């Protein structure tokens, strides 16, 4: 209906109503006219009110604050279990048998390692079901599954999913590990599904996600004011209340003001300032300046900055609203946590609104900004890991005298001895020229191996730091310390992209290794395609290293291949120390299960004689190493 | 990181509550009935701008309007129109508080925009009221607002409304 027809209909309706009321009621003309006008106006108000009873305001909105979308170990299991929910099977299925076997293996292992049972005793207790107080868990691992409850029967399900949940909880309790909350299945999945992608959902009236051009759109802010205007006019006229009618006129005024065209958003220029080359994990302040380059006043400018996908905002908000005079500027700041790599900022979303908030135009404003984050050598004063590293990679003070730190012996000066090792006191006292020998520390070859497979790109929460990032940071820090302690250090990646950096101890080694860690494709945020097999990889490793070496493996140990890698390296004769950043969480069944299985792998490796440092997500590397060192001290 | 703080913007929420409080006070001066209804609306507004509910903020406008209508026989026309105006201003700032909170979060600095908008809304309302009142007085003569003047005013306003409604609801 066009405006003109609508107006014609309104006038015709008004005339008809007046005629009807006047004819039927025998009222005098002015009163009838007032009643008729009022009735029509009220009808109009009802129509407007009904037309817009449900308005979808600001349902979806971009969330550039959230960086990263790393997988959490155990999400695949949650998805698998979610498929089994609401189903009842008469017999068994391949999937269910596999899940049950996986849990039973884990249970047996935990009973053996934690409670000191023999394998046979563990199996017997699992069969008897007396390893736990929980009936559902006991029945599930016994193999006959919990009997479905009435509710499950009504939902067409059986007790399988409940059995899995109970078992994981029971096992977590049995080893004092964090247990998943009850009813935890699926919550994590829903949450994760909601975080896929960064611009969530479709743009709506208040929340435009990005390039919407600069056409004028209603914001919906004044929805309902038209109905209020008509209702006021209707009541005012029909009820003889001039004040209410005057209020209706005010409402009409707002309706008129709401439709004015907002200023052009492309007049807004956005500039960004970020610190140069921060180190990974560093807090970086981003300062965004917004400038009005037009001659118009901009009463409402809203900016949402395009934070790079991988970065999380840790302080402030990348959002700002301001009013700008011609040529005026305003600035805001927020802070992100830097992650290794070069991150390009995306265009900022800019919206302008008219003075009464009723209409807006949107555009995007690009400003080429990059955050270049690379590993840096720690300052000499910051090297705190040296002795800890030395201990766990096995550098041992030798009994031979030579250059070093600790005093060993003195001997007669030989031509060529460095002047700083001459015992000048003795020369002054006795006139004898002697040289001091220190206890020589035998240089060890240490190869840092980083597990860089897809499975290492996991974090305890989707926007958390991945195990790979932590491994790479740690490898960088350890390389510096090992080199400073006089070791030869090499670097290799266990993953589809080959990386073999020969062990060396020259002045440029640290820079070379840090550059590789920062830039090499093996450590990129997205894993290169391909598989890595422990056997083949260790064969190549042996051919490459050529001589004795100590291996320091950085791996989250979230699958058995990592354990196989350690076993094969050890069998090939290399002492292995594992530094394992813990990427597991416990807020869903699958995540808790992944955590329990990782614990089992750690204890297996330790039983087998490997040194393992379990590195929690919220603990500094130096602290984790210090704790591990205390554990190993006699 | 933790979830974003999408609660309503503080300044607009406060302005909204203060203006709504003034409206209730003005109604109270005329009669208790209208003031009581509006007071219920004020409570809705309080919850609305605390818990980010557009529905409750709108409930305030309905209550304020009902209060104005109930009070109309006992109050001078200008006061009633002023109550409707105040109700709209409080509603507008309340909705803005909710909208800013949801789209820009509480972390963002929004004070300047909130002030500009509140000023613009108050100005638009004041100007329209003045013009409308002047027009009615001119039509009716100095004697006050009689039925005929109000009718003419209403028909004119409804006509403008019909032209505008295609753009906005």
């Amino acid at each position: 209906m066009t405006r003109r027809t609508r107006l014609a209909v309104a006038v015709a309706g008004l005339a008809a109503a007046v005629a009807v009321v006047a004819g039927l009621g025998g009222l005098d003309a002015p009163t009838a006219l007032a009643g008729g006008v009022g009735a029509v106006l009220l009808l109009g108000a009802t129509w407007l009110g009904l037309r817009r009873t449900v308005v979808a305001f600001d349902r979806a909105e971009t969330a550039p604050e959230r960086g990263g979308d790393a997988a959490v170990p155990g999400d695949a299991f949650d998805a698998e279990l979610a498929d089994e929910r609401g189903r009842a099977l008469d017999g068994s299925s391949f999937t269910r048998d596999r899940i049950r076997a996986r849990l039973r293996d884990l249970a047996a292992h935990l009973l053996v390692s934690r409670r000191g049972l023999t394998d046979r005793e563990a199996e017997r207790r699992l069969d008897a079901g007396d390893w736990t107080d929980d009936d559902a868990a006991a029945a599930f691992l016994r193999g006959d599954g919990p009997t479905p409850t009435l509710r499950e029967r009504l939902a067409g399900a059986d007790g399988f999913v409940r059995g899995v949940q109970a078992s994981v909880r029971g096992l977590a309790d049995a080893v004092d590990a964090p247990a998943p909350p009850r009813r935890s299945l699926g919550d994590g999945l829903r949450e994760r599904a909601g975080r896929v992608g960064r611009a969530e959902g479709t743009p709506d009236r208040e929340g435009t996600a990005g390039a919407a051009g600069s056409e004028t759109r209603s914001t919906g802010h004044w929805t309902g004011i038209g109905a209020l205007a008509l209702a006021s006019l209707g009541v005012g006229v029909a009820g003889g209340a001039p004040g209410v009618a005057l209020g209706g006129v005010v409402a009409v005024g707002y309706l008129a003001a709401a439709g004015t065209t907002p200023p052009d958003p492309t007049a807004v220029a956005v500039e960004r300032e970020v610190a140069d080359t921060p180190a990974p994990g560093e807090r970086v302040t981003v300062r965004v300046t917004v400038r009005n380059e037009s001659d118009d006043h901009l009463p409402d400018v809203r900016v949402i900055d395009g934070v790079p996908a991988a970065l999380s905002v840790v302080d402030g908000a990348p959002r700002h609203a301001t009013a700008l005079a011609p040529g005026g500027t305003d600035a805001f700041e927020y802070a992100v946590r830097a992650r290794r790599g070069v991150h390009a900022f995306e265009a900022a979303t800019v919206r302008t609104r008219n003075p009464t908030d009723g209409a807006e135009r949107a555009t995007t404003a690009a400003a080429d900004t990059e955050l270049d984050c690379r590993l840096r050598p720690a300052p000499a004063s910051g090297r705190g890991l040296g002795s800890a590293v030395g201990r766990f990679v096995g550098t041992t003070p030798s009994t031979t005298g030579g250059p070093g730190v600790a005093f060993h012996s003195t001997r007669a000066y030989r031509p060529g001895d460095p002047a700083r090792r001459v015992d000048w006191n003795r020369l002054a006292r006795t006139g004898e020229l002697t040289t001091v020998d220190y206890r020589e520390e035998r240089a060890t070859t240490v190869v840092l191996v980083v597990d860089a497979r897809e499975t290492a790109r996991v974090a305890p929460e989707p926007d958390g730091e991945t195990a790979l990032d932590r491994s790479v940071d740690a490898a960088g820090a350890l390389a510096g310390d090992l080199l400073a302690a006089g070791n030869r250090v090499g670097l290799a990646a266990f993953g589809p992209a080959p990386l073999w950096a020969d062990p060396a101890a020259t002045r440029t080694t640290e820079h070379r290794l840090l550059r590789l860690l920062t830039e090499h494709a093996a450590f990129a945020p997205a894993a290169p395609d391909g598989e890595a097999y422990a056997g083949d990889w260790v064969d190549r490793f042996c051919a490459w290293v050529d001589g004795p070496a100590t291996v320091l493996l950085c791996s989250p140990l979230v699958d058995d291949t990592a354990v196989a890698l350690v076993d094969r390296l050890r069998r090939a004769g290399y002492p292995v120390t594992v530094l394992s950043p813990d990427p597991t969480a416990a807020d869903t069944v699958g995540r808790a299960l992944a955590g329990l299985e990782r614990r089992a792998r750690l204890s297996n490796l330790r039983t087998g004689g490997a040194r393992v440092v379990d590195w929690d997500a919220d603990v500094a590397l130096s602290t984790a190493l210090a704790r591990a060192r205390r554990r190993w001290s006699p | 990181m933790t979830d974003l703080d999408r609660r309503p913007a503080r300044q607009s929420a406060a302005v909204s509550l203060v203006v709504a409080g003034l409206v209730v006070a003005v109604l109270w001066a005329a009669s208790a009935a209208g003031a009581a209804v509006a007071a219920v609306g004020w409570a809705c507004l309080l919850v609305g701008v605390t818990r980010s509910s557009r529905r409750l903020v709108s409930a305030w406008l309905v209550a304020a309007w009902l209060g104005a209508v109930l009070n109309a026989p006992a109050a001078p026309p200008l006061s009633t129109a002023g109550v409707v105006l105040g109700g709209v201003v409080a509603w507008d700032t309340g909705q803005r508080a909710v909208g800013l909170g949801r789209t820009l979060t509480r972390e963002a600095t929004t004070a300047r925009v909130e002030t500009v908008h509140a000023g613009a809304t108050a100005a638009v309302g004041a100007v329209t009221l003045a013009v409308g009142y002047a027009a009615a007085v001119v039509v009716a003569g100095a004697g006050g607002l009689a039925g005929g003047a109000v009718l003419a005013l209403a028909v004119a306003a409804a006509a403008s409304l019909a032209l505008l409604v295609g753009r906005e609801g």
Side-chain angles (χ1 to χ4, degrees), chain A residues 430-472:
Chain A
T430 66
E432 258 181 286
L433 195 55
T434 50
T435 300
V436 181
D437 268 353
Y438 299 91
R439 200 174 284 274
E440 195 172 55
E441 288 190 352
R442 189 180 295 138
T444 310
T445 298
V446 182
V447 179
L448 299 165
V449 178
V450 176
D451 182 350
R453 293 169 302 147
E454 181 64 42
T455 51
R457 289 166 171 81
V458 287
E461 49 200 10
D463 58 355
E465 204 178 4
T466 64
L468 177 64
D469 282 347
R470 296 172 67 204
S471 293
V472 167

Side-chain angles (χ1 to χ4, degrees), chain A residues 261-285:
Chain A
T261 307
D264 185 6
T266 54
V268 177
V270 172
E271 272 171 36
R272 249 181 241 112
E273 287 168 56
V274 292
D276 287 337
T277 60
E282 218 169 83
R283 189 174 166 286
V284 182
T285 302

Side-chain angles (χ1 to χ4, degrees), chain A residues 17 36 57 84 122 155 178 202 266 268 279 287 359 367 401 413 509 521 525 568 585 602 609:
Chain A
F57 281 117
E84 296 297 325
T202 47
T266 54
V268 177
R287 184 179 168 83
Y413 176 82
T509 308
R568 282 172 184 272
L602 257 68

